[in-house]
Amino acid sequence: MLKKNKIDLKNLTRSQLTDFVLAQELSSFRARQIFSWLYRPGITNFSQMTDLSKKLRQSLEEQVYFSSLTPAVREQSVDGTIKYGFLLDDGAMIESVLIPEKNRNTLCISTQVGCAMGCRFCLTATMGFIRNLTPAEIVNQVCAVLADVTTHEMGTINNLVYMGMGEPLANFDNLLTSLRIVMDELGLNFSERRTTVSTCGLVPRIKELGEEIRVNLAISLHAADNETRSQLMPVNRTWNLDSLLLACREYPLAKRRRIMIEYILLRDINDSESDARLLAQKLHSIRCKINLIPCNEAPDLPFRKPSQKKIDRFQEILHDAGYTVIVRSSRGSDISAACGQLAVQGREN
Ligand code: SAH
């Protein structure tokens, strides 16, 4: 089978699949049927799509295909976190991380191989940018983990976060297509409340995202002043704090939803009491909750996490200023699955 010349149906939203079906002079109803088959667990070929005629199944087989991913690596942390490594067609590796909590599972997925953003504290950045993932490669991470979770009788995936390798908004079109598929009720049926896109702050894209689709937003902020932020995150030299915070204020959130502000605590860099106060001031009037992430240390990175006392004090100041603030416990660090630790090639070289 010459896969290369064929369309991968997993790259298509339901509406794009409908266009394809109509071009075949079939009824649009067929698109509904085919689309929903694609995202049912255990479906690997057209012959399983039993409500399509044999003739139609054959004709589909000749013209198109649909891809899937199977984990090449499955590592479980002592805390229950599971890291999946997926080998792509061109030999590239990507990772997804499943984080089981008391009564829910969160899946963190990747959108690029490597990353071009160059954040100083992040291991993925050390890989450099290799390529964008296709919509199918993004969606198939969810399909594969869903199958694994089912096999292991772990319930289901409750939350989906685009916080793995890569900058989602730098792969905008494919991100959007993948969101339309995972959020489609006939696709993977993740509601807008259960789906979050995280960005380091590509401001024009944040606005565009809000115009295209309703989804939760997470912002990797990490500093409350431009000088520190520009040093940590080169993206801040293009879109500074004020423009980013304005985009947050204008972002169309779903009812009762809040933007998640992510803030890595880096010892002696952004962890002082005055940093906390400035952060509280800058976030004023933004509907948000704050996630403090004590830096995950890595031998290749020149950063340390603050003392527990400093972390507590930082949290207290924000709390006293009226914010909901949690300290994200590091999960999966023993298998390099924690935030900012996903860097397949980087680690192997
Ligand atoms: N590019 C997007 C998606 C990646 S999210 C973004 O920046 O939001 C990955 C998360 O891990 C981000 O919040 C990132 O800032 C965080 N992270 C990166 N390196 C880290 C480290 N060393 N310790 C803790 N968190 C880190």
Side-chain angles (χ1 to χ4, degrees):
M1 185 174 73
L2 274 171
K3 239 165 74 169
K4 288 251 168 334
N5 306 324
K6 293 184 176 181
I7 298 177
D8 181 353
L9 294 187
K10 287 258 186 92
N11 274 321
L12 305 183
T13 63
R14 181 157 31 133
S15 117
Q16 291 168 329
L17 183 62
T18 306
D19 292 343
F20 168 79
V21 159
L22 292 176
Q24 310 286 307
E25 298 185 342
L26 295 164
S27 137
S28 65
F29 169 68
R30 295 290 173 207
R32 273 183 80 88
Q33 288 180 310
I34 299 167
F35 187 81
S36 71
W37 278 115
L38 293 175
Y39 299 98
R40 279 185 223 175
I43 301 300
T44 52
N45 60 66
F46 291 110
S47 65
Q48 292 166 292
M49 304 185 176
T50 48
D51 55 3
L52 307 180
S53 72
K54 203 159 178 207
K55 193 165 147 256
L56 175 54
R57 283 185 258 158
Q58 263 165 7
S59 125
L60 287 170
E61 188 95 52
E62 280 158 23
Q63 299 178 71
V64 293
Y65 79 107
F66 56 100
S67 61
S68 61
L69 286 175
T70 36
V73 178
R74 183 186 190 276
E75 273 184 276
Q76 188 149 20
S77 156
V78 288
D79 64 25
T81 301
I82 304 173
K83 182 170 78 174
Y84 301 87
F86 296 103
L87 194 58
L88 307 178
D89 281 348
D90 63 351
M93 256 287 214
I94 49 161
E95 296 179 331
S96 317
V97 180
L98 184 74
I99 307 143
E101 283 158 300
K102 263 181 231 119
N103 44 16
R104 58 178 189 163
N105 293 315
T106 299
L107 177 65
C108 175
I109 57 172
S110 297
T111 52
Q112 298 181 316
V113 186
C115 186
M117 296 295 114
C119 300
R120 302 276 181 260
F121 43 77
C122 181
L123 270 186
T124 305
T126 63
M127 296 172 66
F129 173 68
I130 299 171
R131 71 171 173 88
N132 282 327
L133 296 185
T134 63
E137 286 166 336
I138 300 173
V139 172
N140 279 331
Q141 296 170 62
V142 189
C143 298
V145 175
L146 210 46
D148 186 70
V149 161
T150 309
T151 309
H152 289 85
E153 295 183 354
M154 293 173 63
T156 186
I157 301 170
N158 305 89
N159 293 311
L160 190 60
V161 296
Y162 285 72
M163 288 190 192
M165 299 163 80
E167 167 50 46
L169 297 187
N171 183 12
F172 192 79
D173 292 346
N174 295 349
L175 165 75
L176 204 58
T177 302
S178 78
L179 285 169
R180 296 204 196 287
I181 297 169
V182 298
M183 296 173 78
D184 192 313
E185 57 186 14
L186 296 184
L188 294 165
N189 196 24
F190 279 86
S191 69
E192 61 185 46
R193 327 191 130 257
R194 299 198 292 139
T195 313
T196 302
V197 173
S198 182
T199 178
C200 64
L202 299 183
V203 169
R205 297 297 197 193
I206 294 174
K207 190 169 159 34
E208 232 177 300
L209 183 68
E211 285 163 2
E212 292 286 347
I213 202 162
R214 252 333 135 85
V215 66
N216 293 324
L217 187 65
I219 301 288
S220 292
L221 199 70
H222 309 323
D225 67 278
N226 278 314
E227 198 189 331
T228 310
R229 194 164 192 272
S230 291
Q231 269 167 22
L232 295 172
M233 306 174 72
V235 67
N236 195 69
R237 294 175 204 153
T238 312
W239 291 288
N240 68 15
L241 268 168
D242 286 342
S243 69
L244 177 55
L245 295 173
L246 179 64
C248 290
R249 286 193 172 84
E250 291 176 345
Y251 189 76
L253 284 167
K255 259 204 201 115
R256 293 193 299 277
R257 284 279 121 178
R258 290 181 284 174
I259 292 179
M260 187 200 285
I261 300 291
E262 299 166 278
Y263 191 102
I264 307 180
L265 288 166
L266 304 158
R267 178 183 291 205
D268 299 333
I269 293 179
N270 65 359
D271 62 344
S272 71
E273 296 194 3
S274 61
D275 290 322
R277 284 194 197 93
L278 186 61
L279 181 61
Q281 193 186 318
K282 291 273 179 174
L283 293 177
H284 178 72
S285 86
I286 295 179
R287 273 165 62 197
C288 68
K289 54 192 172 192
I290 304 167
N291 224 324
L292 299 176
I293 317 166
C295 170
N296 291 313
E297 300 174 3
D300 294 349
L301 302 174
F303 299 106
R304 296 289 164 259
K305 68 166 150 231
S307 66
Q308 191 58 48
K309 204 172 142 214
K310 270 209 141 166
I311 297 172
D312 292 344
R313 181 68 189 128
F314 201 95
Q315 179 176 26
E316 187 181 41
I317 292 170
L318 293 169
H319 178 83
D320 291 349
Y323 292 96
T324 306
V325 39
I326 61 159
V327 178
R328 193 192 281 172
S329 60
S330 176
R331 302 282 306 259
S333 51
D334 54 325
I335 54 165
S336 296
C339 295
Q341 291 192 328
L342 303 184
V344 185
Q345 263 112 349
R347 213 173 44 241
E348 283 171 354
N349 287 343

